[in-house]
Amino acid sequence: MPIEVCVLASGSDGNATYIRSGSTAILIDAGLSLKELSRRLSLIDVEPRSLDAVAITHEHIDHVRSIGPLSRRHRVPVFTNDATARASTLRAQCADTLERFTTGSPFEVGRLRLRPFPVPHDAAETVGFSVSDGRVNVGVATDLGSVTLEVRDGLSNCDALVLESNHDESMLMEGPYPPFLKERVSGPHGHLSNAAAGALIESVFHGGLRYLVLAHISRINNVPSLTVKTARRALGRSGSDVLVSVGRHDMIGEIITM
Ligand SMILES: [Zn+2]
Ligand SMILES: [Zn+2]
């Protein structure tokens, strides 16, 4: 049974990644409005009510915008850790569809096994996910300011990676952001630069990696072609077969089937 991955939206306007194996379909984050999320899901023939879970990385609005309506209107179970639930309005928004996971402990949704691992970011308890059907592993880490052992471990042995490559360091520093924001974005709990993403890619690369989606790309402090170039350089010659794409804010990505 193939596993399908589609980045429905990526960036500070909203994030959502669709993953399916057989009859099990989940989202990692639901950061678009319900209307826009439903529209993008319809482009890949998915009804919101058919989703088995939404797993949340953290409580920032670009990751949880439609969690409430999605859970209330379509009865989609929402999986989160306790710190994220407490730091947000999730408990009020989706009282009876809220399920807890413990960061570091795998849990199962139908045919999929999700392992949430901690990532350094300025929210209550941000996680990345490693998602597996027992055959194929997909790693998702979209908001992280720095790379830890747990991040490397969470993203190792993946067939596909959805990985933040947020900004070019000099574009950020020379760009229009006020100093406090520059500091926040580039800090250890902010967002990953192209160079830092490149170093991470290099350290988790292995022969089985087939797809790399560069995610959460800043529209102000980055250029997709620059992001791809840095990632390509990190993949090197041994990674020349890896299909590299870019997660977009304005349209869905291609469906990756493995
Ligand atoms: Zn974000
Ligand atoms: Zn965030």
Side-chain angles (χ1 to χ4, degrees):
M1 191 82 68
I3 201 165
E4 287 176 359
V5 180
C6 181
V7 174
L8 300 173
S10 183
S12 54
D13 291 340
N15 296 272
T17 297
Y18 172 80
I19 302 176
R20 181 171 84 95
S21 169
S23 57
T24 303
I26 65 163
L27 288 183
I28 305 289
D29 291 330
L32 296 166
S33 68
L34 184 58
K35 189 177 168 203
E36 183 60 14
L37 181 66
S38 306
R39 188 186 74 78
R40 294 192 192 197
L41 281 169
S42 74
L43 297 174
I44 55 169
D45 285 328
V46 177
E47 299 257 12
R49 66 184 65 249
S50 73
L51 294 167
D52 296 288
V54 185
I56 299 176
T57 59
H58 65 302
E59 71 274 21
H60 288 161
I61 190 69
D62 56 321
H63 298 260
V64 298
R65 190 171 276 114
S66 59
I67 288 288
L70 195 60
S71 79
R72 288 194 303 272
R73 198 173 309 166
H74 298 299
R75 311 299 305 165
V76 179
V78 175
F79 288 75
T80 181
N81 57 37
D82 200 45
T84 302
R86 277 190 279 121
S88 62
T89 57
L90 287 175
R91 282 185 298 182
Q93 287 198 70
C94 34
D96 55 347
T97 59
L98 202 59
E99 311 253 1
R100 302 298 160 98
F101 62 71
T102 304
T103 303
S105 302
F107 60 96
E108 265 153 43
V109 177
R111 296 171 49 88
L112 293 171
R113 183 179 168 87
L114 286 79
R115 190 164 71 83
F117 55 90
V119 304
H121 188 57
D122 54 1
E125 190 179 309
T126 311
V127 298
F129 287 99
S130 153
V131 182
S132 176
D133 65 353
R135 184 180 60 87
V136 171
N137 294 323
V138 180
V140 180
T142 59
D143 290 56
L144 65 166
S146 47
V147 174
T148 59
L149 265 179
E150 286 138 318
V151 170
R152 254 187 235 115
D153 183 53
L155 299 179
S156 63
N157 281 319
C158 286
D159 301 81
L161 283 176
V162 178
L163 177 65
E164 165 158 72
S165 190
N166 178 259
H167 58 275
D168 172 77
E169 267 164 31
S170 48
M171 281 181 76
L172 173 68
M173 288 311 160
E174 288 153 26
Y177 278 14
F180 82 90
L181 200 50
K182 289 181 180 177
E183 208 165 298
R184 199 219 122 199
V185 170
S186 65
H189 291 83
H191 292 278
L192 220 55
S193 69
N194 294 344
L200 176 55
I201 290 163
E202 215 173 321
S203 73
V204 297
F205 173 76
H206 64 110
L209 181 66
R210 287 183 275 168
Y211 297 93
L212 172 64
V213 183
L214 299 161
H216 223 294
I217 296 174
S218 170
R219 280 195 277 159
I220 293 167
N221 303 309
N222 211 346
V223 182
S225 59
L226 197 57
T227 317
V228 172
K229 201 167 136 193
T230 311
R232 275 267 162 240
R233 199 178 304 138
L235 286 165
R237 196 178 297 170
S238 43
S240 58
D241 287 346
V242 178
L243 288 166
V244 179
S245 61
V246 163
R248 302 263 310 235
H249 69 96
D250 56 346
M251 58 189 278
I252 67 168
E254 62 193 291
I255 301 174
I256 294 168
T257 307
M258 293 172 285

